[in-house]
Amino acid sequence: MEKLKIGVICYPSLGGSGIVATELGTKMAERGHEIHYITSSKPFRLSESNSNIFFHEVTIDGYAVFKYPPYDIALANRIAQVIVEEKLDLLHVHYAVPHAVSAALAKDMAQSSIGVITTLHGTDVTILGYDPALKNTLSYGINKSTVTTAVSESLRKETMELIKPTNEIVTIYNFIDEERYHTVETGNLRQELGIPHNDKVLIHISNFRKVKRIQDVIKSFEKINTKIESTLILAGEGPEEDEMKKLVDSLGLQDKVIFTGKRDDLPELLSISDLMLHLSEKEAFGLVLLEALACGVTSIATDTGGIPEVIKNGVNGFIVPIGDVNAVVENALNILNNDELRERLSRNGLETAQVKFNSNKIVSEYEKLYYEVAGKR
Ligand code: GMT
């Protein structure tokens, strides 16, 4: 089969959509396709060790006339250049706002008929889609795309109802990078983090945005910790960090809660953990839940968005209502006090990760779509 030249547009910083874009691009490069990232900086988890991977930086000078430098237009300008210079076969845009609009504009600038795939990741629809200042932008970007995909059935349905797009949207789930996510040797990590020998370890990993409801994680932990010796790891960084540190202080939990900041050793952190708490208000998929399952860690997560497509209640974890701290505590004590239950959930979780969200399977779904959109075989 002919190899493809694919332009990938994504947010390069910490966040699930950037991680998916990077891991998918890397897998496609391993399959022999040429991947051209067109982004403001090198994607955070991208290693350029594969000679099929290229990076085209988008730059913009802060000309005095601009109150807001027009990044979206500079991005369109750069995409248009790369379409022509590299003779791209298609564009894959992650996170619709503003990337799908920049891609549509680029296509027009380059006078090209290139196909565009837009992948919806979550808040591009579930938050920005309800913002009157951006809803039309989202509809326009989706309707201008050749094909739109959503990372869960829940996100697909919500987008269909909200936007009523002219084209169907297809669900392609996120996948797990099995080479990176599995139980690993952890050396002295517990000691380095100062976790007492007998403590159970609970973990929450996120980009610390309001939507993650980290206050519920901390309040649940406070109650769990009165019943069972435990430590809570809060990994990641973001806007809620200071507030959450204040909450931990006000509850007198400073010695029991570890803020690690942004870490690269997530498989190691997961491998020392007994339970993940992921209590978001909105979550289109919850990539981190899948990463935990692949490392044998079970989760308690909220009944929202695409989470129930990843976590099956009582099978590979537990689902609780949003904001229901007592339900979290009850399930957590049940899991932490019952090794047999924890092992069963963990075994089932591994199977979920390895079968339903298998990387080869999902990457092949995207590859098939790429060939269709590029009109090549
Ligand atoms: O939509 C966002 O919040 C941003 C995005 C990101 O870049 O982190 O997260 C979304 O995309 C991830 C990858 O597909 C999903 O795993 C997350 O569930 C989703 N976040 C939300 O829906 C809140």
Side-chain angles (χ1 to χ4, degrees):
M1 268 207 183
E2 186 181 340
K3 297 301 176 195
L4 300 172
K5 292 184 172 201
I6 305 150
V8 177
I9 292 95
C10 65
Y11 284 114
S13 52
L14 186 68
S17 61
I19 294 170
V20 171
T22 307
E23 289 177 354
L24 179 61
T26 306
K27 298 271 179 207
M28 288 293 174
E30 285 165 9
R31 291 184 179 206
H33 302 294
E34 237 179 56
I35 304 298
H36 294 264
Y37 285 96
I38 310 166
T39 46
S40 55
S41 59
K42 195 168 121 228
F44 142 76
R45 276 200 201 160
L46 184 69
S47 105
E48 272 166 312
S49 52
N50 189 310
S51 61
N52 287 333
I53 294 181
F54 303 86
F55 165 52
H56 307 268
E57 192 176 8
V58 182
T59 51
I60 176 161
D61 287 334
Y63 185 54
V65 130
F66 298 139
K67 183 171 177 200
Y68 306 106
Y71 172 77
D72 315 349
I73 292 178
L75 172 63
N77 190 90
R78 192 79 178 106
I79 300 171
Q81 280 173 344
V82 180
I83 290 175
V84 175
E85 284 165 13
E86 303 292 342
K87 300 188 175 57
L88 296 182
D89 292 307
L90 78 143
L91 296 172
H92 189 173
V93 167
H94 292 266
Y95 205 88
V97 181
H99 298 152
V101 176
S102 299
L105 188 56
K107 195 171 156 173
D108 208 34
M109 279 182 195
Q111 299 185 335
S112 160
S113 59
I114 190 166
V116 178
I117 299 172
T118 293
T119 292
L120 306 171
H121 280 272
T123 51
D124 41 359
V125 175
T126 60
I127 291 185
L128 304 182
Y130 294 89
D131 180 346
L134 289 170
K135 186 175 177 190
N136 288 342
T137 309
L138 177 68
S139 298
Y140 178 85
I142 290 176
N143 287 329
K144 282 284 180 185
S145 302
T146 318
V147 176
T148 301
T149 74
V151 297
S152 63
E153 229 349 71
S154 142
L155 183 60
R156 186 191 73 78
K157 285 193 189 136
E158 185 169 345
T159 314
M160 290 302 290
E161 278 160 28
L162 180 70
I163 303 293
K164 302 187 177 46
T166 46
N167 290 329
E168 259 302 300
I169 299 178
V170 288
T171 298
I172 301 188
Y173 283 125
N174 289 331
F175 60 90
I176 188 71
D177 179 359
E178 298 88 353
E179 281 163 36
R180 183 165 143 81
Y181 286 95
H182 49 81
T183 312
V184 291
E185 278 301 316
T186 55
N188 294 327
L189 187 56
R190 271 186 84 109
Q191 289 92 311
E192 278 164 29
L193 292 171
I195 300 173
H197 187 64
N198 287 323
D199 271 18
K200 296 287 185 196
V201 178
L202 291 90
I203 189 165
H204 169 85
I205 304 172
S206 76
N207 47 15
F208 280 61
R209 283 181 298 160
K210 260 201 163 25
V211 80
K212 303 291 172 183
R213 292 186 67 96
I214 303 175
Q215 71 277 14
D216 290 351
V217 173
I218 295 169
K219 286 179 192 162
S220 302
F221 173 73
E222 184 199 13
K223 293 186 181 210
I224 295 164
N225 188 50
T226 61
K227 302 275 184 203
I228 191 161
E229 283 299 317
S230 46
T231 292
L232 172 65
I233 297 175
L234 292 174
E237 61 182 22
E240 285 288 281
E241 208 174 325
D242 288 346
E243 268 314 295
M244 293 307 118
K245 283 183 178 155
K246 281 189 207 148
L247 178 60
V248 165
D249 288 353
S250 72
L251 295 172
L253 291 170
Q254 303 89 320
D255 295 342
K256 295 266 102 190
V257 179
I258 304 168
F259 287 84
T260 65
K262 182 178 139 189
R263 302 274 294 213
D264 282 332
D265 58 347
L266 296 185
E268 284 77 4
L269 283 176
L270 287 167
S271 296
I272 60 165
S273 300
D274 298 290
L275 176 62
M276 171 173 276
L277 299 183
H278 199 74
L279 306 176
S280 306
E281 193 172 317
K282 291 173 186 289
E283 199 69 70
F285 183 89
L287 189 59
V288 79
L289 292 167
L290 181 53
E291 293 171 344
L293 292 183
C295 291
V297 180
T298 190
S299 293
I300 299 174
T302 35
D303 189 8
T304 186
I307 286 181
E309 294 170 58
V310 181
I311 299 296
K312 295 284 171 215
N313 193 34
V315 176
N316 59 10
F318 285 102
I319 297 283
V320 295
I322 297 168
D324 192 342
V325 166
N326 290 334
V328 177
V329 176
E330 192 184 317
N331 282 302
L333 293 176
N334 195 6
I335 293 170
L336 294 173
N337 284 321
N338 184 341
D339 289 346
E340 213 176 291
L341 170 66
R342 201 166 68 250
E343 279 158 25
R344 179 170 61 77
L345 297 170
S346 162
R347 260 197 319 278
N348 291 342
L350 272 178
E351 190 186 323
T352 308
Q354 287 163 358
V355 179
K356 184 170 181 186
F357 301 108
N358 175 282
S359 66
N360 251 323
K361 174 176 151 240
I362 308 279
V363 172
S364 293
E365 289 176 26
Y366 274 116
E367 194 178 37
K368 184 164 171 278
L369 188 63
Y370 283 2
Y371 277 109
E372 279 165 22
V373 168
K376 295 199 170 176
R377 29 180 72 250

